[in-house]
Amino acid sequence: MNNIGSLAAWSWPETSSELERSLELALQGGFEDDAGRAFSNLAELAVCRRNYRSADGYVRAGLDYCSEHGLDLYSGYLLATRAWSELDQGRWTDAASTAAHVLDMTRDSTLRTLTVLRVLATVRARRGDPGAWEPLDDALALASSAPDELQRVAPVAAARAEAAWLEGRIDDVGTETDAAFELALRRRAPWVIGELACWRWRAGIREELPPQTAEPFSLLIHGDWRRAAELWAQIGCPYEAALALSEADDEEPLRRALGECQRLGAEPVAAKVARRLRERGAQVPRGPRATTRENPANLTTRELEVLALVAQGLRNAEIAESLFLSAKTVDHHVSAILRKLGVHTRGEASAEATRFGFAGQDR
């Protein structure tokens, strides 16, 4: 039942009840491996359907269960799904950190590795950071080994299409998605059809959509960007909501799209929206000054010094000794750094330091 539900999750509209029953039976019977698999499958199904509250609940409960019973394989699956959920919900720093952690684990699962490679690449592409195509190429190589498995090929195809579109390589979108889109149509997978169709539509490919296409995508493709944006906001996907708003012709929704993209750090889409606003005669700042781009969180010189040492893995006591500061002062600096960067852990702060290019630099 567990395996059937897992395979059907990407195609059939009603399979969660089978998986839930599988989990119930596994827990009752003490079948630990089956329970770990069921938690993993249920979490993945929920994210695929954009039901993030359920997904995050299954991830938390599943990780607790797998930790208690030493099920490292399924812990890795669940963490990969968490990274996917964080990506969709606009928590990109968390997503990149979780994905990097999973990649550091033993790569004993192709699907798990595919998921986190795609997440890392998508975060980079959406931010306009370099290095998106290497993990995308690795993911494509893994997915190509099973061309009939929708859960492998479709997410990779969508990520590669998005990265190409963000770079302005519109003609590549169709090539990247042709096979996966045809497979999704055969499997009647509503959310996969919608996501792939939407990237193809943005690239100028016009085709008839099946009636089961997921509603937010269908609405956008048929011209109702306003309702699509509302649905994405309700679902909890701020990036998709901003993309929908960016299809408007009026200044107000375009400015909302720009603001959301700037909040997320989605520089390529923000640039596209800003260009559309200027074409309509709106006044839009040209972008941050060089000094702000070099230090986008407005950290002080001392905070930059502390952050560089945090990124090197030093503890607060070691940082205090290195900078001739008291431990209490370093504690205050680290707290301020986390707040300004909008992160919660030292690992996330280190990731941001690397992204902004001042990790390990002398200040």
Side-chain angles (χ1 to χ4, degrees), residues 227-261:
R227 179 58 182 153
E230 291 173 355
L231 279 183
W232 281 124
Q234 292 169 13
I235 290 169
C237 296
Y239 179 72
E240 281 72 14
L243 283 174
L245 288 171
S246 74
E247 297 296 332
D249 289 320
D250 298 332
E251 182 175 335
E252 187 273 333
L254 286 174
R255 286 197 178 279
R256 286 168 53 201
L258 178 60
E260 187 62 20
C261 287

Side-chain angles (χ1 to χ4, degrees), residues 21-38:
R21 178 59 176 161
S22 175
L23 175 60
E24 181 183 354
L25 292 173
L27 293 174
Q28 289 176 354
F31 302 117
E32 296 173 2
D33 190 79
D34 291 326
R37 184 184 299 113

Side-chain angles (χ1 to χ4, degrees), residues 22-260:
S22 175
L23 175 60
E24 181 183 354
L25 292 173
L27 293 174
Q28 289 176 354
F31 302 117
E32 296 173 2
D33 190 79
D34 291 326
R37 184 184 299 113
F39 273 121
S40 177
N41 289 339
L42 281 162
E44 181 185 4
L45 172 60
V47 174
C48 183
R49 295 178 176 176
R50 276 61 172 184
N51 187 342
Y52 301 108
R53 178 175 294 182
S54 292
D56 293 346
Y58 284 125
V59 167
R60 287 192 299 270
L63 285 173
D64 288 344
Y65 183 87
C66 291
S67 176
E68 181 180 350
H69 295 90
L71 301 173
D72 293 342
L73 174 64
Y74 296 115
S75 290
Y77 278 123
L78 288 161
L79 286 171
T81 300
R82 170 177 282 175
W84 181 3
S85 179
E86 290 167 341
L87 172 72
D88 285 1
Q89 295 180 77
R91 303 201 304 269
W92 294 350
T93 298
D94 292 340
S97 178
T98 302
H101 173 64
V102 175
L103 280 179
D104 286 339
M105 302 168 68
T106 301
R107 298 194 185 188
D108 52 2
S109 165
T110 297
L111 183 58
R112 185 177 75 189
T113 303
L114 270 174
T115 299
V116 295
L117 285 172
R118 176 179 63 85
V119 168
L120 281 173
T122 302
V123 170
R124 292 172 185 174
R126 290 180 179 180
R127 285 173 164 169
D129 292 341
W133 283 100
E134 181 178 353
L136 284 175
D137 289 341
D138 290 344
L140 179 62
L142 291 173
S144 298
S145 65
D148 292 327
E149 290 190 21
L150 189 63
Q151 66 190 121
R152 294 193 184 200
V153 301
V156 175
R160 292 177 66 87
E162 178 179 358
W165 180 79
L166 289 171
E167 292 180 358
R169 295 189 291 108
I170 305 302
D171 292 341
D172 290 346
V173 172
T175 304
E176 296 288 358
T177 57
D178 282 340
F181 187 58
E182 177 60 30
L183 181 60
L185 290 172
R186 293 202 308 269
R187 300 288 172 80
R188 295 181 297 170
W191 288 95
V192 181
I193 291 170
E195 183 173 19
L196 293 172
C198 211
W199 289 118
R200 292 167 68 84
W201 171 78
R202 289 189 175 101
I205 301 172
R206 299 296 180 255
E207 51 210 344
E208 185 175 352
L209 295 179
Q212 69 265 31
T213 304
E215 187 178 10
F217 296 114
S218 180
L219 284 169
L220 183 61
I221 291 172
H222 287 103
D224 194 349
W225 57 264
R226 191 183 303 278
R227 179 58 182 153
E230 291 173 355
L231 279 183
W232 281 124
Q234 292 169 13
I235 290 169
C237 296
Y239 179 72
E240 281 72 14
L243 283 174
L245 288 171
S246 74
E247 297 296 332
D249 289 320
D250 298 332
E251 182 175 335
E252 187 273 333
L254 286 174
R255 286 197 178 279
R256 286 168 53 201
L258 178 60
E260 187 62 20

Side-chain angles (χ1 to χ4, degrees), residues 3-15 18 45 49 187:
N3 289 334
I4 292 173
S6 175
L7 290 172
W10 285 76
S11 305
W12 302 341
E14 298 298 338
T15 56
E18 295 178 2
L45 172 60
R49 295 178 176 176
R187 300 288 172 80

Side-chain angles (χ1 to χ4, degrees), residues 321-360:
E321 181 177 354
S322 176
L323 297 178
F324 302 101
L325 299 172
S326 71
K328 187 174 182 179
T329 297
V330 173
D331 290 343
H332 288 311
H333 281 314
V334 171
S335 296
I337 290 166
L338 296 179
R339 185 184 69 254
K340 289 183 179 182
L341 292 176
V343 299
H344 303 289
T345 68
R346 298 168 75 91
E348 293 171 354
S350 298
E352 290 294 274
T354 300
R355 182 166 77 87
F356 290 136
F358 47 72

